Amino acid sequence: MKKFLLFAAAFLAMNASAQTVLLDQNFDGEVADWAIADQDGDGNNWGILQFQDSNGAAVGTPLAVSFSYDNATYTALTPDNWLMAPAVTLGQASKLTYKIGSVDASYLDYYGVFIAVGEGDFEQLIAETAPNDETAENVLGLVDREIDLANYAGQEVTIAFRHFNSSDMFALGLDDVKIVDEAATAIDEVKANNAESNIWFDLQGRAYNQKPAAAGLYIHNGKKVIIK
Ligand SMILES: [Ca+2]
Ligand SMILES: [Ca+2]
């Protein structure tokens, strides 16, 4: 039965899963193609920040941050700050992933993720209080989130992160924003046993790329052939 195993292996190759990265932003370098909007108009907005410990050593990597408290003036802020990714055209099975968190575990900020199709208005995908999951390895306390975008398959969309519904807390942190499409890619034609095939198999499943010289019973183009 080995010949059937060979055919099965050929057919399995028909559906390969292809991963396409549509957006990948870790805020560690230049961020030229994102946009911000200060909807509350207080002059404070999203920025990119590298947190440091009391010795000036870097804590984590640079991330996008929006504040609901101004440490310099000891005043509360009431943000409605928008951070918008560049528009991307989604595949058939696209997912948004990102890391989010309230930077101070004692003061939790609130945020939402919004989506706009084409030039349309933003609509809310989710909104929640940003948790803080601080550990020795995750000092900033960011948590992983995933949003399925299958409802928007094939459409050009803009994703926005909105820091709102928060006041007098501290800061919201966002990092590693990705949109990845994992649609299966069908390979058009795999002919494991087509009419032009010159592959011969013996009854032990061994393949020959030309007509075997030895006498015996063979399988060729799906038919039994006796070579005398
Ligand atoms: Ca980063
Ligand atoms: Ca603002």
Side-chain angles (χ1 to χ4, degrees):
M1 298 303 282
K2 282 182 183 170
K3 68 186 165 69
F4 294 111
L5 290 177
L6 289 168
F7 291 153
F11 283 111
L12 278 177
M14 285 178 74
N15 281 299
S17 184
Q19 198 183 65
T20 308
V21 177
L22 302 173
L23 180 76
D24 188 357
Q25 180 55 260
N26 63 14
F27 303 107
D28 294 353
E30 178 120 346
V31 183
D33 46 359
W34 287 55
I36 54 176
D38 177 15
Q39 287 295 105
D40 59 285
D42 70 349
N44 296 288
N45 210 331
W46 286 91
I48 295 171
L49 203 61
Q50 169 68 69
F51 282 94
Q52 299 178 337
D53 66 17
S54 54
N55 298 317
V59 174
T61 65
L63 67 168
V65 177
S66 172
F67 288 88
S68 61
Y69 185 82
D70 182 13
N71 263 354
T73 60
Y74 309 110
T75 51
L77 304 173
T78 306
D80 187 4
N81 298 341
W82 290 68
L83 175 64
M84 288 158 280
V88 297
T89 300
L90 299 177
Q92 295 304 304
S94 297
K95 287 193 168 103
L96 167 70
T97 57
Y98 58 95
K99 295 188 193 321
I100 192 102
S102 294
V103 175
D104 188 325
S106 303
Y107 296 95
L108 300 182
D109 280 84
Y110 192 86
Y111 80 101
V113 179
F114 288 69
I115 190 167
V117 176
E119 300 295 311
D121 294 336
F122 280 106
E123 48 187 279
Q124 185 175 293
L125 288 170
I126 67 149
E128 63 170 345
T129 300
N132 180 291
D133 192 19
E134 185 178 335
T135 63
E137 297 78 39
N138 182 19
V139 179
L140 293 175
L142 305 184
V143 298
D144 290 301
R145 289 287 184 263
E146 177 180 296
I147 298 177
D148 192 337
L149 300 175
N151 287 346
Y152 302 88
Q155 306 199 70
E156 186 189 65
V157 302
T158 301
I159 296 288
F161 294 88
R162 181 188 187 190
H163 182 200
F164 70 122
N165 197 23
S166 308
S167 186
D168 206 8
M169 294 291 129
F170 179 49
L172 181 69
L174 172 72
D175 208 353
D176 296 336
V177 180
K178 288 184 191 172
I179 300 176
V180 173
D181 187 65
E182 303 207 1
T185 308
I187 296 167
D188 289 335
E189 271 184 300
V190 175
K191 292 181 179 173
N193 190 22
N194 66 42
E196 283 73 51
S197 171
N198 200 36
I199 305 289
W200 295 67
F201 295 96
D202 66 19
L203 294 187
Q204 282 72 49
R206 288 180 293 233
Y208 301 81
N209 58 14
Q210 58 186 9
K211 187 175 177 181
L217 183 60
Y218 295 89
I219 307 293
H220 183 228
N221 289 334
K223 296 190 182 96
K224 277 191 269 188
V225 179
I226 297 166
I227 294 178
K228 295 177 181 171

